[in-house]
Amino acid sequence: IIGTFIAMLTFLSAGAGAGAALPPAFVLIGSNLKWSNSRRLSIWAGCEFPDFLPKQVEKIKDPNARNMASRIERIPVNLSKDLVMSSCVKPKEQKEANPVVLLHGFDSTCLEWRYTLPLLEEAGLETWAIDILGWGFSDLERLPSCDVASKRDHLYQLWSTYIKRPMVLVGPSLGSAVAIDFSVNYPEAVDRLVLINASVYAKGTGKLATLPKTVAYAGVYLLKSIPIRLYATSLAFNGLPLSTSIEWTNIGRLHCLLPWWEDATVNFMISGGYNVIDQIEHVKHKTLIILGEDDHIIDYKLGVRLHCELPNATLRQIPKCGHIPHVQKPDVVSRLIAEFVQSDQSQKAKPDSVSTISVPVMISPTCTSRYLACPVSPPSPQFRGIMLS
């Protein structure tokens, strides 16, 4: 059993088992909490938090996280058999242009966008941050199915009820698989895609789907332990001070304190997870692919492969950046997204912190040689001819 747990956790933390990497950070803070679904707010140190958030939110010091947490609300979303009070951060105002809708990675929340969302709003973009069904801070007391089809339907129902316009759908890590799956099934709901360190080549949860439930629950409980979550942080970021690692861990860990988190995570695990490999060639939307140069979770070659297989894609690389660029370098990510949204010519006005060169990339015979305009500083060895198997 111990061997199974270790293999499972390694599988998940490496971004292979669940089709994505763990989000930047989570820590086991406590249990034995009482929950309320009312709309009353708790006030602490000048901030107002919705009281459906765990009380540990009051211990967060990061001002961006605190501000974003205070904006989280639950809105009713009708599914086929359930009404789910779904958590999200709504835009401060609506714009004429198509909105930007931010998803998150595996087992994460909209707080993942605490640094980037305000910058996108400052750039004049109508921006939503949505919690994927089964994760985040939605009310799942009457637990719906959290499989891929349910996650897709939930996003569609939320879009058709509240957004109602083609959106720029942004997906980091596993969120890229969510975005691809959604755009292929509901192309009319998507204007264009932004995929960040995309985890889209895993074949679902693999053998984890066949685990006995008792083993799955034990493994999921271990998944929220301090050592595992701090290890995930060390993979996602490079050289973080311990104090920052702990703070980001506590922010990312908040949703795991909800009483239905284990049930929703096991439900997704045994459902088989995301396998979108065969859907990639059917994506017709204009796509921006963003890669962190120092991503130790998703192999850089997979980003180049994705660029090769998507018919209308642009690839950008952020130097000295790990798996979660929108946390580590939000200024660059927000400027790349804003440029992509606001300009039809993706080569205009690159961010100051990103340099661009054109170099040949060697690829497999299934894809002819192409020249990529990829940001590097200085040119990474990975750009000097990559042969994909």
Side-chain angles (χ1 to χ4, degrees), residues 112-271:
E112 197 175 294
W113 292 97
R114 58 192 177 273
Y115 303 127
T116 301
L117 182 141
L119 297 177
L120 292 173
E121 290 182 329
E122 288 178 10
L125 301 177
E126 177 185 333
T127 308
W128 295 69
I130 293 175
D131 283 337
I132 298 168
L133 180 69
W135 299 311
F137 302 103
S138 298
D139 182 1
L140 303 180
E141 185 173 3
R142 296 181 300 176
L143 187 72
S145 174
C146 296
D147 60 8
V148 170
S150 298
K151 293 179 189 294
R152 181 195 311 133
D153 181 50
H154 173 263
L155 179 55
Y156 177 76
Q157 296 302 331
L158 190 152
W159 171 82
S160 63
T161 303
Y162 298 99
I163 300 175
K164 301 178 182 179
R165 289 166 291 154
M167 54 187 170
V168 179
L169 192 57
V170 183
S173 196
L174 180 65
S176 293
V178 178
I180 285 176
D181 173 79
F182 185 83
S183 68
V184 170
N185 283 276
Y186 298 107
E188 72 282 3
V190 178
D191 174 40
R192 56 187 69 189
L193 295 171
V194 179
L195 308 178
I196 302 174
N197 286 332
S199 178
V200 295
Y201 289 107
K203 297 180 180 179
T205 55
K207 294 182 179 179
L208 297 180
T210 65
L211 288 177
K213 276 195 173 183
T214 54
V215 177
Y217 272 97
V220 164
Y221 182 80
L222 187 59
L223 190 61
K224 63 181 180 181
S225 67
I226 292 174
I228 294 298
R229 296 297 183 166
L230 287 178
Y231 175 65
T233 305
S234 69
L235 286 177
F237 302 97
N238 302 317
L240 279 184
L242 179 60
S243 59
T244 303
S245 295
I246 293 174
E247 177 75 351
W248 288 5
T249 296
N250 288 330
I251 294 169
R253 178 61 184 76
L254 282 173
H255 71 292
C256 298
L257 298 175
L258 293 171
W260 43 78
W261 174 79
E262 287 90 350
D263 294 332
T265 303
V266 169
N267 187 288
F268 172 73
M269 182 189 303
I270 65 178
S271 73

